[in-house]
PDB file of all heavy atoms in Angstrom:
ATOM      1  N   TYR P  12      96.301   7.557 -87.411  1.00 90.00           N
ATOM      2  CA  TYR P  12      95.384   8.307 -88.277  1.00 90.00           C
ATOM      3  C   TYR P  12      96.048   9.571 -88.817  1.00 90.00           C
ATOM      4  O   TYR P  12      95.892   9.925 -89.991  1.00 90.00           O
ATOM      5  CB  TYR P  12      94.133   8.648 -87.464  1.00 90.00           C
ATOM      6  CG  TYR P  12      93.213   9.693 -88.043  1.00 90.00           C
ATOM      7  CD1 TYR P  12      92.412   9.418 -89.146  1.00 90.00           C
ATOM      8  CD2 TYR P  12      93.127  10.958 -87.453  1.00 90.00           C
ATOM      9  CE1 TYR P  12      91.550  10.381 -89.659  1.00 90.00           C
ATOM     10  CE2 TYR P  12      92.274  11.917 -87.955  1.00 90.00           C
ATOM     11  CZ  TYR P  12      91.477  11.626 -89.059  1.00 90.00           C
ATOM     12  OH  TYR P  12      90.634  12.579 -89.563  1.00 90.00           O
ATOM     13  N   PHE P  13      96.814  10.254 -87.983  1.00 90.00           N
ATOM     14  CA  PHE P  13      97.451  11.504 -88.390  1.00 90.00           C
ATOM     15  C   PHE P  13      98.695  11.275 -89.255  1.00 90.00           C
ATOM     16  O   PHE P  13      98.931  12.010 -90.204  1.00 90.00           O
ATOM     17  CB  PHE P  13      97.852  12.315 -87.155  1.00 90.00           C
ATOM     18  CG  PHE P  13      96.708  13.066 -86.519  1.00 90.00           C
ATOM     19  CD1 PHE P  13      96.743  13.389 -85.164  1.00 90.00           C
ATOM     20  CD2 PHE P  13      95.613  13.464 -87.259  1.00 90.00           C
ATOM     21  CE1 PHE P  13      95.706  14.099 -84.575  1.00 90.00           C
ATOM     22  CE2 PHE P  13      94.559  14.161 -86.681  1.00 90.00           C
ATOM     23  CZ  PHE P  13      94.606  14.480 -85.342  1.00 90.00           C
ATOM     24  N   SER P  24      89.263  10.794 -92.733  1.00 95.00           N
ATOM     25  CA  SER P  24      89.905  12.097 -92.899  1.00 95.00           C
ATOM     26  C   SER P  24      89.234  12.914 -93.992  1.00 95.00           C
ATOM     27  O   SER P  24      89.000  14.124 -93.833  1.00 95.00           O
ATOM     28  CB  SER P  24      91.389  11.895 -93.227  1.00 95.00           C
ATOM     29  OG  SER P  24      92.015  13.125 -93.482  1.00 95.00           O
ATOM     30  N   SER P  31      87.686  20.638 -91.002  1.00 97.00           N
ATOM     31  CA  SER P  31      89.054  21.149 -90.999  1.00 97.00           C
ATOM     32  C   SER P  31      89.124  22.540 -91.605  1.00 97.00           C
ATOM     33  O   SER P  31      89.850  23.415 -91.120  1.00 97.00           O
ATOM     34  CB  SER P  31      89.979  20.200 -91.775  1.00 97.00           C
ATOM     35  OG  SER P  31      90.163  18.999 -91.080  1.00 97.00           O
ATOM     36  N   VAL P  62     100.354  18.214 -84.230  1.00 88.00           N
ATOM     37  CA  VAL P  62     100.301  17.581 -82.912  1.00 88.00           C
ATOM     38  C   VAL P  62     101.320  16.446 -82.882  1.00 88.00           C
ATOM     39  O   VAL P  62     101.718  15.918 -83.919  1.00 88.00           O
ATOM     40  CB  VAL P  62      98.888  17.033 -82.618  1.00 88.00           C
ATOM     41  CG1 VAL P  62      97.874  18.151 -82.601  1.00 88.00           C
ATOM     42  CG2 VAL P  62      98.482  15.980 -83.642  1.00 88.00           C
ATOM     43  N   ASN P 172      99.537  13.283 -94.165  1.00 82.00           N
ATOM     44  CA  ASN P 172      98.264  13.986 -94.085  1.00 82.00           C
ATOM     45  C   ASN P 172      98.545  15.453 -93.780  1.00 82.00           C
ATOM     46  O   ASN P 172      99.026  15.780 -92.693  1.00 82.00           O
ATOM     47  CB  ASN P 172      97.398  13.354 -92.984  1.00 82.00           C
ATOM     48  CG  ASN P 172      95.985  13.903 -92.962  1.00 82.00           C
ATOM     49  OD1 ASN P 172      95.729  15.010 -93.424  1.00 82.00           O
ATOM     50  ND2 ASN P 172      95.068  13.131 -92.409  1.00 82.00           N
ATOM     51  N   LEU P 173      98.264  16.335 -94.710  1.00 85.00           N
ATOM     52  CA  LEU P 173      98.629  17.748 -94.573  1.00 85.00           C
ATOM     53  C   LEU P 173      97.453  18.638 -94.168  1.00 85.00           C
ATOM     54  O   LEU P 173      97.542  19.862 -94.251  1.00 85.00           O
ATOM     55  CB  LEU P 173      99.235  18.250 -95.888  1.00 85.00           C
ATOM     56  CG  LEU P 173     100.495  17.511 -96.374  1.00 85.00           C
ATOM     57  CD1 LEU P 173     100.970  18.072 -97.701  1.00 85.00           C
ATOM     58  CD2 LEU P 173     101.598  17.581 -95.334  1.00 85.00           C
ATOM     59  N   SER P 174      96.365  18.043 -93.717  1.00 91.00           N
ATOM     60  CA  SER P 174      95.174  18.814 -93.363  1.00 91.00           C
ATOM     61  C   SER P 174      95.233  19.300 -91.919  1.00 91.00           C
ATOM     62  O   SER P 174      95.982  18.790 -91.092  1.00 91.00           O
ATOM     63  CB  SER P 174      93.915  17.962 -93.559  1.00 91.00           C
ATOM     64  OG  SER P 174      93.776  17.574 -94.898  1.00 91.00           O
ATOM     65  N   CYS P 175      94.404  20.305 -91.629  1.00 94.00           N
ATOM     66  CA  CYS P 175      94.250  20.777 -90.252  1.00 94.00           C
ATOM     67  C   CYS P 175      93.329  19.834 -89.482  1.00 94.00           C
ATOM     68  O   CYS P 175      92.621  19.001 -90.063  1.00 94.00           O
ATOM     69  CB  CYS P 175      93.645  22.186 -90.249  1.00 94.00           C
ATOM     70  SG  CYS P 175      94.784  23.503 -90.705  1.00 94.00           S
ATOM     71  N   LEU P 176      93.351  19.963 -88.170  1.00 96.00           N
ATOM     72  CA  LEU P 176      92.434  19.210 -87.323  1.00 96.00           C
ATOM     73  C   LEU P 176      90.983  19.482 -87.732  1.00 96.00           C
ATOM     74  O   LEU P 176      90.664  20.580 -88.159  1.00 96.00           O
ATOM     75  CB  LEU P 176      92.629  19.639 -85.862  1.00 96.00           C
ATOM     76  CG  LEU P 176      93.990  19.347 -85.217  1.00 96.00           C
ATOM     77  CD1 LEU P 176      94.122  20.102 -83.908  1.00 96.00           C
ATOM     78  CD2 LEU P 176      94.175  17.865 -85.000  1.00 96.00           C
ATOM     79  N   PRO P 177      90.095  18.504 -87.658  1.00 96.00           N
ATOM     80  CA  PRO P 177      90.298  17.120 -87.203  1.00 96.00           C
ATOM     81  C   PRO P 177      90.631  16.155 -88.346  1.00 96.00           C
ATOM     82  O   PRO P 177      90.835  14.969 -88.108  1.00 96.00           O
ATOM     83  CB  PRO P 177      88.941  16.770 -86.603  1.00 96.00           C
ATOM     84  CG  PRO P 177      87.975  17.504 -87.474  1.00 96.00           C
ATOM     85  CD  PRO P 177      88.657  18.810 -87.826  1.00 96.00           C
ATOM     86  N   SER P 178      90.701  16.662 -89.576  1.00 95.00           N
ATOM     87  CA  SER P 178      91.005  15.793 -90.704  1.00 95.00           C
ATOM     88  C   SER P 178      92.473  15.381 -90.727  1.00 95.00           C
ATOM     89  O   SER P 178      92.821  14.300 -91.212  1.00 95.00           O
ATOM     90  CB  SER P 178      90.653  16.500 -92.016  1.00 95.00           C
ATOM     91  OG  SER P 178      90.913  15.683 -93.128  1.00 95.00           O
ATOM     92  N   GLY P 179      93.343  16.253 -90.223  1.00 94.00           N
ATOM     93  CA  GLY P 179      94.777  15.993 -90.217  1.00 94.00           C
ATOM     94  C   GLY P 179      95.418  16.477 -88.939  1.00 94.00           C
ATOM     95  O   GLY P 179      94.734  16.959 -88.027  1.00 94.00           O
ATOM     96  N   PRO P 180      96.749  16.402 -88.851  1.00 94.00           N
ATOM     97  CA  PRO P 180      97.435  16.676 -87.594  1.00 94.00           C
ATOM     98  C   PRO P 180      97.795  18.141 -87.348  1.00 94.00           C
ATOM     99  O   PRO P 180      98.327  18.463 -86.287  1.00 94.00           O
ATOM    100  CB  PRO P 180      98.717  15.856 -87.733  1.00 94.00           C
ATOM    101  CG  PRO P 180      99.008  15.884 -89.201  1.00 94.00           C
ATOM    102  CD  PRO P 180      97.666  15.862 -89.875  1.00 94.00           C
ATOM    103  N   PHE P 181      97.505  19.036 -88.302  1.00 94.00           N
ATOM    104  CA  PHE P 181      98.016  20.403 -88.167  1.00 94.00           C
ATOM    105  C   PHE P 181      97.093  21.280 -87.316  1.00 94.00           C
ATOM    106  O   PHE P 181      95.908  21.418 -87.590  1.00 94.00           O
ATOM    107  CB  PHE P 181      98.249  21.025 -89.546  1.00 94.00           C
ATOM    108  CG  PHE P 181      99.481  20.474 -90.209  1.00 94.00           C
ATOM    109  CD1 PHE P 181      99.431  19.295 -90.931  1.00 94.00           C
ATOM    110  CD2 PHE P 181     100.708  21.102 -90.051  1.00 94.00           C
ATOM    111  CE1 PHE P 181     100.568  18.754 -91.508  1.00 94.00           C
ATOM    112  CE2 PHE P 181     101.854  20.574 -90.622  1.00 94.00           C
ATOM    113  CZ  PHE P 181     101.786  19.398 -91.356  1.00 94.00           C
ATOM    114  N   ARG P 182      97.693  21.862 -86.292  1.00 94.00           N
ATOM    115  CA  ARG P 182      96.962  22.741 -85.375  1.00 94.00           C
ATOM    116  C   ARG P 182      96.759  24.130 -85.976  1.00 94.00           C
ATOM    117  O   ARG P 182      95.867  24.870 -85.576  1.00 94.00           O
ATOM    118  CB  ARG P 182      97.718  22.876 -84.055  1.00 94.00           C
ATOM    119  CG  ARG P 182      97.881  21.581 -83.291  1.00 94.00           C
ATOM    120  CD  ARG P 182      98.776  21.750 -82.089  1.00 94.00           C
ATOM    121  NE  ARG P 182     100.171  21.942 -82.471  1.00 94.00           N
ATOM    122  CZ  ARG P 182     101.148  22.186 -81.616  1.00 94.00           C
ATOM    123  NH1 ARG P 182     100.878  22.294 -80.325  1.00 94.00           N
ATOM    124  NH2 ARG P 182     102.385  22.328 -82.038  1.00 94.00           N
TER     125      ARG P 182
END
Side-chain angles (χ1 to χ4, degrees):
Y12 166 73
F13 281 154
S24 176
S31 290
V62 298
N172 188 336
L173 301 178
S174 299
C175 284
L176 296 167
S178 181
F181 285 85
R182 298 173 289 176

